[in-house]
Amino acid sequence: MPISQTQLAHLIDLHWGPLLMWVGPGDEAAEDIVQQAFIALAGAEVVPENPVAWLYQTSRNIGINERKKRQRRNRRESAVAKGEHQSSSIGKSVEATELLENLNRLSDMEREVVVAKLWAGLSFEDIAKATGQSRATVWRRYQTAINNLRILYGEPCKTKK
């Protein structure tokens, strides 16, 4: 028998905060990890014998998996960046390094929009559909990202008069 809504709400009220601390207070994905654990509990066909212990164990396991994914992704991105540097000339290598550093200084959403627009050639409409954002939001993020890149490169931003 699945967990009742009342039991689930009670567990969320009592254990959300402590589970966030359990997963890691500095982990940017902590809320997502804890949420995934509660979703898994809500979707379980049978209530675990000790739901609290199950939530902690599940949160920990999801957290470990998420950290592994992040580490693999970072290694792949580093390997690709190094591969590009090794196959290019010195000038391109310095430029590529600077570009990667500056792109990494942007927020994730700004970087996504810039890469999708400039490298993938997607329209703002396509980017909006892919990210679940409005076209206007995507356009504003793109403009903000371009202005931030100008600042990072030491180029003055053009202001409208």
Side-chain angles (χ1 to χ4, degrees):
M1 183 167 151
I3 192 164
S4 73
Q5 291 179 351
T6 307
Q7 283 178 300
L8 186 61
H10 181 71
L11 288 170
I12 291 171
D13 287 342
L14 288 178
H15 296 285
W16 184 267
L19 279 165
L20 288 176
M21 301 266 296
W22 168 258
V23 170
D27 192 334
E28 60 195 31
E31 287 192 15
D32 292 337
I33 291 166
V34 172
Q35 182 179 10
Q36 286 178 40
F38 277 107
I39 290 170
L41 179 61
E45 292 189 26
V46 178
V47 178
E49 187 176 318
N50 185 342
V52 174
W54 185 92
L55 279 168
Y56 278 80
Q57 179 182 9
T58 302
S59 295
R60 181 181 180 281
N61 292 341
I62 293 170
I64 289 169
N65 289 339
E66 289 298 318
R67 281 186 281 285
K68 285 179 183 177
K69 284 181 196 175
R70 253 184 280 160
Q71 289 170 346
R72 281 193 302 266
R73 184 174 51 246
N74 290 340
R75 280 195 304 271
R76 281 192 307 268
E77 289 172 357
S78 293
V80 167
K82 287 178 186 175
E84 289 174 356
H85 298 318
Q86 292 169 357
S87 66
S88 64
S89 70
I90 298 291
K92 284 186 178 181
S93 177
V94 171
E95 291 169 357
T97 300
E98 184 178 16
L99 177 60
L100 284 174
E101 288 173 359
N102 286 334
L103 283 173
N104 284 329
R105 289 183 180 128
L106 298 176
S107 74
D108 288 343
M109 289 181 266
E110 290 172 354
R111 185 176 56 254
E112 284 177 354
V113 171
V114 168
V115 170
K117 182 70 177 158
L118 299 180
W119 278 271
L122 296 177
S123 68
F124 290 121
E125 188 68 34
D126 291 335
I127 299 167
K129 287 177 186 173
T131 60
Q133 308 281 325
S134 72
R135 185 183 178 282
T137 299
V138 169
W139 185 85
R140 280 191 309 272
R141 287 202 173 116
Y142 178 77
Q143 293 301 317
T144 301
I146 295 300
N147 285 334
N148 287 340
L149 286 171
R150 285 184 179 139
I151 291 167
L152 290 169
Y153 277 103
E155 295 291 322
C157 295
K158 296 176 183 174
T159 57
K160 295 180 182 178
K161 293 183 180 181

